[in-house]
Structures are given as C-alpha cells and as structure tokens.
Amino acid sequence: MNEKVVVIETPGGPEQLKLVAVDVGAPGPGEIRIRHEACGLNYIDVYHRSGAYALPLPARLGMEGAGIVEAVGEGVTHLKAGDRAAYASQPPGAYATARVMPAKSVLKLPDSIDFETAAGMMLKGLTVQYLLRRTLPQGGLQAGDFVLFHAAAGGVGLIACQWARALGLQLIGTAGSDEKCELALAHGAAHAINYRREPNFAARVRDITGGRGVKVVYDSVGADTWEGSLDSLAPFGLLASFGAASGPVPAFSVGTLAAKGSVYVTRPTLFTHIATREATQAMGDELFSVVASGAVKIRIDQRYALADVAQAHRDLEARRLTGSAILRP
C-alpha cells in the first residue's frame, strides 16, 4: 500500500525534506498501522533534520500524530481497528499519510478531543505533564510557588501556562516580543518577561520573587538562557534543561552549582518517561483529563499541507510560530 512520507537522505536545512511514496505494509507483533488525520510539528523534528540528534539515514521525521487505527498486530490488546488514536512516540515517522509503528505509546483518543487538537498536544502536553508533575524541586511544588518557563508562547509554553495556573503555580514566562508575552499572560502566566527588551531576565525574576528566585526553571532554549536560568534559582532550586533551541548548553564546572546556592540540574526527556505502556497511559490519562475539562486549551495557530513541510520548518526555526502547528496529510 503506497503512502506519502517525508524523509531526509542527509542532514541539513529544510531543503533536505523530501516527500516520497513508500509501501507501508502490515503491522507485525506489538505494532499497529495508523492512518493520520493530522501530524504534529515540534522542535525535536528540527534537531533530527539538522543532525543535532543523529538518526540512521535515510530517516523519516515526526514524533506526534493522530488518526484512525487500520490494523493491529499480534499481542496488541489496548487498541483495535477503527479506534481513534493519538501518540507521541519513537521512532520518528509521523510526517506521513499512514505508518506502521509500535503500539505501546499509542493511546485511544477520547471522543471529546478532535484529531487536530490531539496532533497538536500529544508530545507537547506529555512534555508539560512530566515537567510540572514529575520533574520537581526539593519538596515538590505547592500552590503559590514561583516557576520560570522559557519560550512561554510556544506550543509547550502555552500548555504549561494553563496547566501551571490550574495547579495554582505562579508561572513567570519569557518570550521574544510584547505580543508573545501578552499571549502567555492570556493563557495563565502570572508574569511575562520580554527577553529582547530585558535581556537580564534573572534580575527581573529576582524582583518578582522578592529577591529569592524560583524553585524551578524549565528551559528549552539552551545556550542563550543557561546562565540567566541558573541565576534565577532560589537555594536548592532545580534547573530542568529539556531542549536547546538556541544551541547546546555550554560546558560548566560542577562547582558552579554550589556557588549558585546548592542548586540542581537535570536533563530529562519525554521518551524516558513514556518507556512503558503503563507510564504512557497514566500520563496520557492526566493530559486528556485537563484538556477535556477545559483547564488546558490547545491552540492550533498554524496549519500546513504535508507537502509544505519545508516551509513549516523554516517558520519553526525562525520562531515565527505561536501555539501548536500541525501538518495535514
């Protein structure tokens, strides 16, 4: 069965993304075949395309999608043909009209959540779940606590703003324009800092928190924010570095952590958290619940045809996107 998929034959710029026809085939044991109604766009896709996160070549891209299960392989019991389903999953391959993939990270999609919303929320929403609910400082987080979240107007950031508000947290968001700061505030951020106008965001964080700093910083930006993120932490605070949109975090001396107040640093990944079907289901159930309740709304601000994936990547790298973006097969 010939389907359209996006592949790269060599790492590089958006021009390396090629739409080709392939025979998808039937699912094997522990696998499903899913026909996509929508596919998610995420910054990890740029890392894969550029070679920052190396993949065996030629490589398919895309980590997130939603659609209809067409067939299930031997041993798959939580899904059946005809089910609405969604996922964030390894290996890449979501940029496709249909694919065969491991079933363990694919979840049955509640009827209350449409395909575009699901494709725009699975990787980003599960990321926020493991950050705000599982990647925690000493003593955890309680209502009223301050947290700092970079790129607060992006797809992950806008979900985090809303989820933090639902948890009673005071989220301080950073973004690169006044418009993006307003977007973060409208979605639940307690404070927003335009880092282009206030590059010393750590000083502003200290002002907001009465000099103490925040319990935790969630940082997907990397090189540009690293020093400021450390300087924003309260004693015993946690810096969760979960991405590097501006480039890799520089090498640092472990003694720096002592000088900053006995602080902690971690580099978590979503795929460690969703390594088992049980963990994926538990995290997904919580994500579905906060979305279905209306506490978290998923903004789909950009839609691209699958054939226009190169332009989608250009827009993503230029930080022209807000909220979530999807590809339509």
Side-chain angles (χ1 to χ4, degrees):
M1 183 184 299
N2 281 333
E3 302 290 348
K4 297 290 187 181
V5 304
V6 174
V7 302
I8 58 167
E9 296 177 349
T10 186
E15 70 280 357
Q16 298 297 332
L17 297 163
K18 309 296 183 187
L19 190 64
V20 301
V22 300
D23 183 9
V24 169
E31 294 182 330
I32 66 160
R33 186 174 69 235
I34 184 169
R35 179 159 302 280
H36 290 132
E37 296 289 334
C39 315
L41 184 72
N42 296 281
Y43 215 92
I44 192 173
D45 306 342
V46 173
Y47 299 149
H48 286 151
R49 189 208 71 222
S50 68
Y53 294 175
L55 296 174
L57 297 170
R60 301 181 186 184
L61 299 189
M63 309 295 293
E64 174 182 51
I68 301 290
V69 176
E70 289 190 324
V72 302
E74 182 183 351
V76 176
T77 58
H78 69 290
L79 295 166
K80 64 182 186 303
D83 280 349
R84 303 168 73 254
Y87 66 87
S89 177
Q90 298 271 34
Y95 291 1
T97 52
R99 70 180 295 197
V100 168
M101 64 180 296
K104 70 175 184 178
S105 294
V106 183
L107 299 179
K108 189 172 180 180
L109 185 64
D111 291 340
S112 59
I113 299 175
D114 64 69
F115 291 120
E116 287 196 355
T117 298
M121 80 178 198
M122 291 301 293
L123 190 143
K124 302 169 192 70
L126 290 173
T127 296
V128 174
Q129 198 280 342
Y130 88 71
L131 290 173
L132 293 182
R133 304 291 284 158
R134 295 170 178 241
T135 310
L136 302 174
Q138 268 195 16
L141 289 171
Q142 287 79 42
D145 285 343
F146 285 98
V147 303
L148 176 63
F149 207 103
H150 292 299
V156 173
L158 291 183
I159 295 172
C161 288
Q162 297 173 81
W163 207 327
R165 178 176 57 188
L167 294 170
L169 302 174
Q170 298 194 68
L171 184 145
I172 305 169
T174 70
S177 70
D178 288 344
E179 292 76 16
K180 288 185 175 183
C181 285
E182 288 299 321
L183 194 59
L185 291 168
H187 283 74
H191 305 271
I193 302 170
N194 181 344
Y195 59 78
R196 297 195 192 279
R197 283 198 294 104
E198 296 184 82
N200 187 5
F201 61 83
R204 178 76 189 287
V205 169
R206 295 284 172 183
D207 288 342
I208 292 169
T209 60
R212 181 164 179 79
V214 297
K215 277 193 170 184
V216 59
V217 178
Y218 297 109
D219 189 339
S220 62
V221 177
D224 289 354
T225 51
W226 175 255
E227 288 295 335
S229 291
L230 285 174
D231 288 340
S232 298
L233 287 171
F236 310 110
L238 172 67
L239 170 48
S241 174
F242 69 102
S246 67
V249 168
F252 69 98
S253 167
V254 71
T256 301
L257 306 182
K260 300 294 184 183
S262 300
V263 299
Y264 297 77
V265 172
T266 186
R267 178 55 175 93
T269 72
L270 172 62
F271 298 106
T272 310
H273 284 85
I274 60 172
T276 67
R277 211 198 77 70
E278 292 75 17
T280 306
Q281 189 69 57
M283 292 170 66
D285 286 346
E286 187 170 1
L287 173 62
F288 293 153
S289 178
V290 297
V291 171
S293 74
V296 172
K297 294 180 171 62
I298 308 301
R299 285 178 62 110
I300 309 295
D301 286 349
Q302 297 84 198
R303 294 170 174 82
Y304 301 87
L306 189 61
D308 295 330
V309 64
Q311 185 58 51
H313 271 232
R314 293 186 192 99
D315 291 345
L316 182 60
E317 287 186 279
R319 302 188 186 183
R320 288 193 284 263
L321 305 186
T322 57
S324 296
I326 61 163
L327 302 170
R328 295 302 306 262

